[in-house]
Amino acid sequence: MNICSLVVHTKPEKGPVVSRRLEKITGVEVHGGEDADKLIVTVEDEGETVSPVSDTMNAMNGVKGVVSTILIYHYGGEESMEDMKREIN
């Protein structure tokens, strides 16, 4: 499993529309920043059912209205999402 957090810079006043476009990508979740045109985004993949995080990040750079993406944090581990949820609870 891989989890990344990123800041996605958008063209001026395009934050809300880019946010909606990004959330259509599997594993991508936008947590805020639409008004500042700097989106706070997480990307998760688990196993082979979802494309690797690196592919997702590259795809985000091709989304209309995206200026750049900056990787803030990355976690990679062998445990599954089920293991992590069990550990948290």
Side-chain angles (χ1 to χ4, degrees):
M1 171 193 354
N2 289 290
I3 300 173
C4 295
S5 64
L6 307 104
V7 173
V8 177
H9 294 256
T10 70
K11 291 183 178 178
E13 301 179 16
K14 297 295 182 186
V17 70
V18 172
S19 175
R20 288 190 295 275
R21 290 175 181 153
L22 293 178
E23 288 196 328
K24 292 179 181 175
I25 301 172
T26 302
V28 173
E29 189 172 341
V30 178
H31 300 277
E34 290 90 346
D35 294 339
D37 300 319
K38 294 179 185 174
L39 306 177
I40 301 161
V41 177
T42 55
V43 179
E44 294 182 24
D45 71 23
E46 183 175 4
E48 297 176 8
T49 58
V50 178
S51 65
V53 167
S54 58
D55 289 351
T56 303
M57 290 172 57
N58 286 332
M60 290 192 318
N61 282 322
V63 171
K64 187 177 180 181
V66 170
V67 174
S68 66
T69 59
I70 299 171
L71 179 65
I72 303 297
Y73 174 79
H74 172 255
Y75 171 80
E78 295 296 323
E79 63 276 340
S80 68
M81 186 60 86
E82 294 298 321
D83 291 339
M84 287 190 67
K85 287 179 182 174
R86 196 172 324 135
E87 191 171 302
I88 291 170
N89 295 323

